[in-house]
Amino acid sequence: MTPAPGRGRTAPRRTEPVPHPVRSPRRRARYGNYALELVMIAVAVAFLFPVYALLTLSLKEPRQIAGSPLGLPAPPTAHNFTHAWSSASLGPALVNSALITTLSLLLLVVLGSTAGYFLARRARGLGYGLYILFLLGIVLPFQLGMIPLYELVDSLGWLGTYQGMVLFYTGIQLPFTVFLYTGFARALPADYAQAALIDGCDHRQAFTRIVFPLLRPITGTVIILNAVFVWNDFFTPLLYLGGSDRETVPVRVFSFVGQYVSDYGLVFAGLVLAALPVLVVFLLLQRYVIKGFAGGLKG
Amino acid sequence: MSRSLPQPEEIQPEGTPPGGTPARKTRPRETRVREIPPPNPRETRSGPRGRTRPGRDLTVPPWGFVVPALVVYAAVVLYPAVAGVAYAFTDWSGIGDASFVGLANFRALLDDRRTLDSVVNTLLLTVAVVVVQNVVGLLLALGVDAGIRSRALLRVIFFAPAVVSPVMVAFLWKYVYNPENGAGLNGVLGAVGLGGLRQDWLGDPSLALWSVAAMVVWQYAGYSMVIFLAGLQGVPAELHEAARIDGAGTWQRFRYVTWPLLAPALTVNLMLSTIGGLKLFDQVYAATNGGPGTASETLSTALFKEAFVYGKFGYSTAVALVLALFVAAVSLVQLRFLRAREVTA
Amino acid sequence: MTTSQGHQRRTGHDGATDHVGGAGQSRRGFLRAGGRIAVVAALPPALSACSGSSDTLRLVGVTDQQQPVEELLALYRESRPGESFTTSFAPTEQMQTVVRTQLAGGNAPAVHAVYPGSGSAMSMVELARAGLLTDLSAQPWTKNIPEAFGAAYRYEGHTYLYSAGSCLIGAIYNKKVFARAGVEPPATWTELLAVCARLRARGVVPIALGAQTPWVTQLISYALVPNAVYAHNARFDDDLAAGRTSFRDSGWADALDRYQELQRKGFFNDNPNGTTFEQQTAMVATGRAAMAVQVSAVLGVFRESAERPDDLAMFPFPGGDDPADLWIPAGIVVGLGVSVRARENARVADFIAFLGKQENIDRWASAVFAIPFRRDASTVVDPVLKAFLPIVDAGRAVPFMDQRWPNAEVQPAHFAAVQDLLAGETDVRGALGQMDDAYRRAS
C-alpha cells in the first residue's frame, strides 16, 4: 500500500490543480492523428448505417417504406413522430419512465456503492461468499423467479405502482451494480478512509465524505449502464404496469407492434423519441463514464 | 474530463492498437501533481486482501453497509429464484395443476435433441460475440481515446446502439438484412462494388447465427468501448512517457504498459459479454425466432418456448436451472482466471 | 429426499381437481411445499397472501385486436357512462407470457385474449381445461355459432370464447400486375401454375413469400391442405387424434409436394427464408411481385403500402382442380375470454353481451377483414371477400389446422419444417415426420 503523499485526505481529487504536462508536440504524431481520425470517422459511418436506416424509416409513410425502405425519404414526413407522440401518449409515459428510472438509479447507487465498498474491503471469507452470491444474480435466467416474484409484488399490493417497479429494478440490477462497484472499489486504497476514521469520522461519514467521491467515476458508468437497461425494459412494466396509467415508454411503443399489423415507421419514430433522453444523459455523464477506472487505478 | 481535451500542445504519442497499425495514437490528458511515481497498481489493487496482517482491519466497514443491499437482493432475486426452482421437479404446464415428477425433467433433458442442439448454437454465438465484441470494443476505445478532434462525437455514435432496446434493434436489422438485391446491406455492398458479398443474411441456415452475432456486436461494441475507455483513462501518462524514453515502440508500450493496466476493464468486459452471450435472448428471438428451422435456436430461446409457447413450465425450469449452473460455472472459472491474471499481469 | 418427494405426491397434488377455481390453490400449495423442500423454510410464505383486488377491470389483448376492442369500448362507454375497463395490448408472445404469468399468479385480467380451439398455450381448450375461463354459454349470441365452428368456441359443450368470426386464407394480388401480364385470377391448380409461369416470363415474382416471419410459413400449407386432405376426409382430425393416420401418410404430403413444386419452378422470390412479412407485403403492394398467400386480416396492411388501395384484391387460392369443389381455410380469429375470477361480475357479462350483438360482431369482423360467424341483412362484407362467401356457405371452409392440434408444439414444428424444406435441409417426409413427432408428444 502506498499512500499518495501530498494529497490532503480532506481534499478529494477534483479540487486538485490540473497543470499542463510538459510535452512537446510532435509533427509525426499529428499526421498519424489525422490518419487515425479518418479511419475512425469511416468506422463511425459504417456504424451509423443502421441508425440511418432507423431515421429514414421513421420519416416515411407505409407506402414510401414499401417502395424503398432505406432510400432517402422523399418527402420526409414528421407524421410518425406526431402520431406516435399523441396516440401512444408518450408524454405521460416519458414522465413514468423518468420517475421509475431515476428512483431505481438512486437506490442502486446508494445500495450498490455501500455494498460494493464493503465487499471490496472484506474480500475474504464471508465477504467473498457474499460477493459470489451477488454474482449469482447476474447469471440466473429471468424465468426462474418470475412467477414467485409476481406473486410477491401482488401480495404487497404493488402491482401498477411506481414502488413495485423501483423495487424490482433495484433488486434485479443490484448484482451487476455490486459487481462493478466491488471491482473498482478494490483498487481504492484504504488509507483515505483510514485517515478519516482516525480523525474521528464514523464509517458512514468516511464513506460519504471520502470514499463515495472517489467512486464517482464508476458511479457514472453504473448510472448510464443501468439507465439503459431500466429505460428499455419492456416485459416487466408490461407485466406489472400493463393497463395502468403508469405505463412506461417501451410498453407504449410496443403497442404498435402486432402479428398482422405493425406500422414500422410509427414504431421506429417512437423508438427514436424513446432513445433520445438516454442519449442526452450519456452525453452529460460522459466524462464520468469515461473516467470509470481512473479513480481506482490512480489512487 | 473530455471538456479539457482538445489541446493540441498536449498531444503525446502513446501506443497503438494491437495489430501494429502504424497510426499513432495520442492522448492529451490532464496529469496531476505527484511527488512520487504512481503506486504499483498490482499492490494497490490487492488492497487489504493482499495484506496478511493479523488482527482486525479498522478500515473494513461494518456489516450495515451490505445488509440493505442484501435484503433487497434476497427479496427480489434470491427468494423468487429458490421458490421457482421447485417447478423444475414438476410437470406443471404454467397454468392449472402440477404433479411432482422428481428428476424426470432432468432425465428428459438428456434425450432432448432440440435443447441439446441449442447448446451448441449458444456456445458458438457466445464465443463469437465475446471475441469480436471485445476486440472491436478495444479498438474503438483506443481510437477514440487518442487526441482526435471528433472523439466526443465518436464516443456518442459508438455508444448510441447500446441505448436502444434490443428487440427494436432486431426489428431494425431485419431491414438491414433484407435479402433483395439493392435493399439494405446487400444494396450497400452492391453500391460499393462488393456485390459478390451479398448474402441471404437471416435466411441461410449456415449464416443466420452469425448474422445475429454481428447485430449483437454492433449493438454492444460501444458498451465494451465505454468500459475499456474507463480503463484506459487509468493508465498514467507518466508510465508511457517513461517507456518512451526507454525506447519502447508503440506496440511495446501497448503490450507492456497499457495492456496489463487494462486488466480490470478486461475482466469486467469478458465477464459481462460471456454471461450476456450465454443468456442472449431478445435479439435472437426477435430477429430469427431460432430459425430458419432451428438453425439459430439458443438455450434461452429454447427455454422460453418451452415455458410460454409449448406450455411446459416445469421442464423449462429444469432447463433454466441447468443453464444457470452452466453459466455460473463458466463465469466462476473465468473470474478466477481473470483475477489471477490481473494480479500477475 | 426421495421420501419427501413421495410424500408430496400423496398429499393431493396429482389428484383430479375440481376444474373451477381449485387449480390455482392447489398449485400454490404445491409451490409452498416445494419451496420448503428447496430450503426456503425460513422465509415468510408471502405466496399465501391474497391478491390485491381493485375495482378497475383489466382487459389484456393482442395488438391485432386493439382497433376493434377500442372502437367497441368507446361505443360501450357511450351507452354506459362510468363503466370502464383499463386496456393494454402487446405483441402476441408478450401478451401470452404476461397473461400466463398473471393466471399463474392468481391475478388474471377480467377479460383477455384467447385463441380459438386448441393448439396454442393461450388457446380456449388449454385454458378451459385448466378451469381458468368463465362459461359463456348463457349469453344469447352463443346460440348462433354454426356447428362447423363448434370446436373453435366450445369445450365439452360449453362456450368459452367470444370471437367475431373467421378470417380467410387466399391470395392477395396486385390487379395492375395481373392486368399488365394479361392474366386473370386462376380457378384451379393447373391454371395457377400457368398464371405463375406467365408472370415469371414477364419478369415479375409470381408469389412473394416472407418465410423469415414464422407464422407466414404455414399459410401455403393451410391453403393447400383443405383440398388435399379435408375434401376427401372431413374427419381427418379425429383420425389423426386416434392414430389411424399421420401427417406423413396423408394428403399433407401432397400439399407439401405442391408447396415444393412452386419453389422448384421458381415461382417464389429468391431467399424466402430471409424475407420478412413486411418485405413480402412491400413486394406485392409495389408490384415487384404479383401475389402473396395471406390471411384476409392483413388486407389493410397491404393496402396501406400500395399506391392505390384498390390495386389489391383477393381470390381463393385454388388447391384443387375442380372449380366447383374448391375447399379453403377459414379460421376463427383471436377473440376474448372471461377469467373465472370475473365470472360473477355483472359488468363483464354485460360487456360480452354487448360485443355479442349482431351490429358489434359486424363491426369487429369488418375491422379485421373477417366474415362474421353469423350474418344478417345489415352485415356488410368487404367486396374483395365476396368470392369466398359461397364456399364458406357451402361448408367447404376448413378451420385453420392448428386449431385442432392437441398441443402447442405442432405449430412451431410446422414452421420449422417448412423453413427446413425451403432451405433444402429436409424433404417432405422428413418435414412431416417432425410434425408427427411433435403431435405425438404428450401435451
Side-chain angles (χ1 to χ4, degrees):
Chain A
M1 289 312 293
T2 314
R7 247 184 221 176
R9 57 183 177 270
T10 52
R13 70 183 46 198
R14 66 197 142 100
T15 61
E16 283 174 47
V18 181
H20 284 197
V22 188
R23 288 172 194 167
S24 54
R26 303 206 323 167
R27 187 163 295 230
R28 251 186 72 209
R30 204 176 283 168
Y31 286 131
N33 235 25
Y34 290 141
L36 177 65
E37 180 133 26
L38 285 178
V39 170
M40 291 310 290
I41 289 173
V43 174
V45 169
F47 244 78
L48 281 175
F49 177 63
V51 178
Y52 161 77
L54 173 69
L55 291 176
T56 183
L57 285 165
S58 70
L59 291 169
K60 283 178 188 163
E61 312 223 332
R63 68 178 55 96
Q64 292 173 295
I65 293 179
S68 165
L70 301 189
L72 278 173
T77 168
H79 171 259
N80 289 327
F81 287 90
T82 53
H83 185 52
W85 182 267
S86 56
S87 78
S89 2
L90 280 187
L94 276 169
V95 174
N96 291 332
S97 281
L99 262 172
I100 290 171
T101 308
T102 313
L103 291 173
S104 306
L105 291 177
L106 196 70
L107 271 175
L108 278 169
V109 166
V110 171
L111 297 181
S113 61
T114 49
Y117 177 61
F118 176 90
L119 294 174
R121 284 284 160 268
R122 202 183 279 268
R124 280 170 177 278
L126 193 51
Y128 185 69
L130 278 182
Y131 176 65
I132 297 297
L133 189 69
F134 271 108
L135 276 194
L136 191 66
I138 308 184
V139 163
L140 292 172
F142 83 98
Q143 285 97 332
L144 213 49
M146 196 172 82
I147 290 172
L149 182 62
Y150 181 81
E151 289 172 332
L152 180 71
V153 176
D154 186 13
S155 67
L156 290 171
W158 282 5
L159 293 177
T161 66
Y162 292 131
Q163 63 265 36
M165 294 310 296
V166 171
L167 175 77
F168 172 81
Y169 287 125
T170 308
I172 215 84
Q173 287 302 93
L174 256 177
F176 169 71
T177 307
V178 167
F179 175 61
L180 286 181
Y181 268 121
T182 309
F184 286 75
R186 278 201 182 124
L188 280 186
D191 309 81
Y192 299 119
Q194 199 164 32
L197 291 169
I198 291 165
D199 274 3
C201 288
D202 62 22
H203 274 285
R204 194 177 58 82
Q205 288 165 325
F207 181 79
T208 49
R209 290 184 196 168
I210 310 295
V211 178
F212 190 69
L214 292 174
L215 287 174
R216 253 183 5 166
I218 183 61
T219 302
T221 313
V222 162
I223 287 178
I224 190 68
L225 298 186
N226 278 323
V228 166
F229 173 83
V230 175
W231 188 268
N232 283 328
D233 188 32
F234 160 64
F235 179 74
T236 319
L238 180 68
L239 180 62
Y240 290 105
L241 302 176
S244 75
D245 51 9
R246 309 262 156 88
E247 286 184 357
T248 58
V249 174
V251 177
R252 302 304 313 154
V253 173
F254 266 92
S255 70
F256 297 132
V257 181
Q259 177 174 325
Y260 296 151
V261 187
S262 16
D263 180 343
Y264 277 102
L266 200 57
V267 171
F268 291 140
L271 180 62
V272 171
L273 292 174
L276 280 179
V278 190
L279 273 185
V280 170
V281 171
F282 176 70
L283 259 176
L284 298 177
L285 276 174
Q286 213 204 145
R287 60 200 207 96
Y288 293 124
V289 174
I290 300 311
K291 277 168 42 170
F293 279 100
L297 295 183
K298 275 189 178 170
Chain B
M1 181 158 196
S2 55
R3 270 197 229 147
S4 61
L5 288 178
Q7 296 171 28
E9 64 271 27
E10 282 182 7
I11 286 172
Q12 175 222 8
E14 202 166 50
T16 187
T21 320
R24 311 194 71 157
K25 68 185 287 298
T26 55
R27 174 209 315 251
R29 156 189 312 287
E30 52 185 85
T31 26
R32 303 188 179 89
V33 176
R34 277 182 199 280
E35 273 122 49
I36 59 158
N40 178 343
R42 190 188 312 164
E43 213 179 306
T44 311
R45 214 174 21 255
S46 54
R49 203 177 155 194
R51 269 186 280 197
T52 44
R53 191 175 67 193
R56 199 157 159 256
D57 185 343
L58 280 177
T59 66
V60 173
W63 285 90
F65 272 63
V66 76
V67 167
L70 196 60
V71 168
V72 174
Y73 171 58
V76 176
V77 178
L78 289 182
Y79 160 69
V82 173
V85 163
Y87 298 124
F89 306 95
T90 70
D91 64 355
W92 193 42
S93 73
I95 49 174
D97 296 328
S99 318
F100 210 97
V101 296
L103 296 175
N105 287 329
F106 296 91
R107 278 194 292 271
L109 180 58
L110 295 176
D111 300 326
D112 183 353
R113 276 299 305 276
R114 192 166 58 193
T115 306
L116 294 179
D117 285 350
S118 75
V119 173
V120 177
N121 286 341
T122 308
L123 290 175
L124 290 173
L125 188 66
T126 304
V127 170
V129 167
V130 167
V131 171
V132 182
Q133 178 182 319
N134 284 295
V135 169
V136 173
L138 180 61
L139 289 175
L140 291 180
L142 290 169
V144 300
D145 189 48
I148 56 177
R149 283 163 188 279
S150 47
R151 50 197 287 172
L153 178 65
L154 288 177
R155 284 173 188 167
V156 177
I157 289 174
F158 292 136
F159 185 67
V163 162
V164 183
S165 114
V167 178
M168 290 294 182
V169 165
F171 289 160
L172 180 63
W173 274 70
K174 289 200 211 177
Y175 284 91
V176 174
Y177 282 149
N178 187 339
E180 268 191 275
N181 276 349
L185 182 55
N186 281 347
V188 174
L189 289 174
V192 299
L194 294 171
L197 295 179
R198 284 189 295 231
Q199 299 291 342
D200 182 12
W201 302 101
L202 293 173
D204 182 343
S206 59
L207 198 62
L209 192 66
W210 310 116
S211 299
V212 172
M215 179 178 91
V216 174
V217 167
W218 174 79
Q219 182 168 23
Y220 290 123
Y223 200 96
S224 295
M225 174 198 77
V226 163
I227 293 173
F228 276 126
L229 215 39
L232 282 175
Q233 301 296 307
V235 181
E238 296 86 342
L239 285 186
H240 272 283
E241 192 67 15
R244 202 169 55 79
I245 289 164
D246 288 349
T250 46
W251 165 250
Q252 284 170 311
R253 290 206 301 281
F254 172 79
R255 173 65 190 85
Y256 296 106
V257 180
T258 310
W259 181 243
L261 289 168
L262 274 180
L266 188 70
T267 303
V268 169
N269 264 335
L270 286 181
M271 288 280 296
L272 291 180
S273 54
T274 305
I275 296 172
L278 290 173
K279 288 170 70 181
L280 197 67
F281 172 72
D282 285 337
Q283 291 92 334
V284 186
Y285 203 79
T288 66
N289 203 333
T294 53
S296 62
E297 196 83 85
T298 67
L299 209 41
S300 287
T301 61
L303 87 88
F304 177 85
K305 287 181 183 174
E306 294 288 350
F308 297 104
V309 179
Y310 306 155
K312 291 186 160 181
F313 200 89
Y315 179 67
S316 88
T317 310
V319 179
L321 200 58
V322 172
L323 171 68
L325 291 175
F326 180 65
V327 180
V330 171
S331 358
L332 265 185
V333 169
Q334 203 179 24
L335 185 70
R336 293 213 150 225
F337 172 77
L338 288 166
R339 284 274 182 244
R341 187 185 158 281
E342 275 181 40
V343 175
T344 56
Chain C
M1 189 69 184
T2 331
T3 46
S4 75
Q5 282 172 9
H7 178 67
Q8 276 313 311
R9 256 192 106 76
R10 277 192 304 277
T11 47
H13 296 293
D14 55 346
T17 340
D18 171 14
H19 273 309
V20 182
Q25 287 322 107
S26 118
R27 196 198 50 77
R28 285 180 174 208
F30 173 80
L31 179 61
R32 261 201 308 283
R36 262 202 301 280
I37 297 169
V39 214
V40 270
L43 285 157
L47 302 179
S48 59
C50 71
S51 49
S53 61
S54 65
D55 221 31
T56 52
L57 290 168
R58 286 181 298 132
L59 184 155
V60 178
V62 287
T63 316
D64 300 302
Q65 303 174 310
Q66 187 161 7
Q67 197 198 335
V69 169
E70 281 181 348
E71 180 189 331
L72 290 168
L73 257 181
L75 281 173
Y76 182 69
R77 285 187 191 120
E78 270 173 28
S79 55
R80 293 155 181 83
E83 301 272 316
S84 190
F85 288 82
T86 65
T87 57
S88 59
F89 299 91
T92 310
E93 265 149 7
Q94 278 85 357
M95 178 283 299
Q96 189 158 309
T97 309
V98 162
V99 175
R100 281 181 74 93
T101 306
Q102 294 177 340
L103 286 167
N107 186 33
V111 180
H112 57 81
V114 172
Y115 286 86
S118 59
S120 102
M122 280 301 286
S123 66
M124 182 275 298
V125 168
E126 178 92 356
L127 298 179
R129 192 193 290 141
L132 296 167
L133 291 176
T134 297
D135 183 359
L136 303 174
S137 306
Q139 297 252 349
W141 54 267
T142 59
K143 314 285 178 288
N144 300 325
I145 299 169
E147 202 41 52
F149 294 139
Y153 289 86
R154 296 196 191 97
Y155 174 68
E156 294 184 342
H158 300 276
T159 304
Y160 292 97
L161 171 76
Y162 169 83
S163 174
S166 55
C167 153
L168 303 155
I169 292 175
I172 297 179
Y173 73 107
N174 190 315
K175 289 194 275 191
K176 275 190 193 161
V177 175
F178 269 51
R180 268 201 302 269
V183 291
E184 292 283 321
T188 65
W189 176 252
T190 315
E191 281 178 36
L192 176 84
L193 294 180
V195 164
C196 287
R198 182 89 183 258
L199 288 162
R200 188 172 141 80
R202 288 294 186 103
V204 186
V205 172
I207 303 176
L209 176 58
Q212 207 274 339
T213 303
W215 62 267
V216 175
T217 56
Q218 64 191 332
L219 300 174
I220 293 181
S221 310
Y222 284 15
L224 296 170
V225 161
N227 281 288
V229 176
Y230 295 87
H232 316 299
N233 178 9
R235 302 182 54 79
F236 173 76
D237 291 308
D238 300 323
D239 289 348
L240 193 60
R244 286 189 292 269
T245 183
S246 66
F247 289 115
R248 203 150 59 169
D249 302 323
S250 70
W252 268 84
D254 305 325
L256 287 197
D257 276 338
R258 290 189 162 182
Y259 202 151
Q260 269 205 314
E261 183 181 354
L262 292 174
Q263 186 190 26
R264 210 170 41 240
K265 292 190 164 154
F267 293 162
F268 295 146
N269 44 302
D270 292 339
N271 307 323
N273 273 344
T275 304
T276 64
F277 164 61
E278 288 75 22
Q279 289 150 14
Q280 174 193 39
T281 307
M283 290 170 84
V284 179
T286 60
R288 299 199 294 279
M291 64 181 122
V293 177
Q294 264 298 353
V295 287
S296 53
V298 301
L299 253 174
V301 186
F302 273 68
R303 285 176 169 172
E304 267 191 14
S305 301
E307 203 137 318
R308 293 202 351 260
D310 274 352
D311 290 346
L312 297 167
M314 202 165 170
F315 63 85
F317 193 72
D321 269 321
D322 180 358
D325 190 34
L326 189 58
W327 287 61
I328 58 164
I332 297 299
V333 298
V334 54
L336 296 173
V338 175
S339 146
V340 276
R341 295 175 78 230
R343 69 169 178 268
E344 306 292 341
N345 194 312
R347 284 159 64 196
V348 175
D350 185 52
F351 176 61
I352 300 294
F354 171 80
L355 296 180
K357 290 183 179 172
Q358 185 64 46
E359 67 266 29
N360 293 333
I361 291 173
D362 289 346
R363 282 195 180 99
W364 184 314
S366 88
V368 296
F369 294 90
I371 298 179
F373 65 79
R374 173 173 178 268
R375 302 195 300 275
D376 71 6
S378 66
T379 306
V380 181
V381 172
D382 195 292
V384 297
L385 298 180
K386 285 268 162 62
F388 293 84
L389 289 178
I391 307 176
V392 173
D393 292 340
R396 296 198 308 270
V398 181
F400 292 169
M401 290 82 226
D402 56 274
Q403 295 180 4
R404 292 290 308 274
W405 289 340
N407 63 51
E409 293 188 52
V410 190
Q411 194 178 21
H414 181 207
F415 298 164
V418 171
Q419 286 181 337
D420 281 344
L421 206 56
L422 291 169
E425 303 264 302
T426 185
D427 56 11
V428 169
R429 280 189 74 77
L432 292 173
Q434 292 174 37
M435 290 175 65
D436 279 319
D437 288 348
Y439 191 97
R440 300 288 163 221
R441 228 166 266 155
S443 68

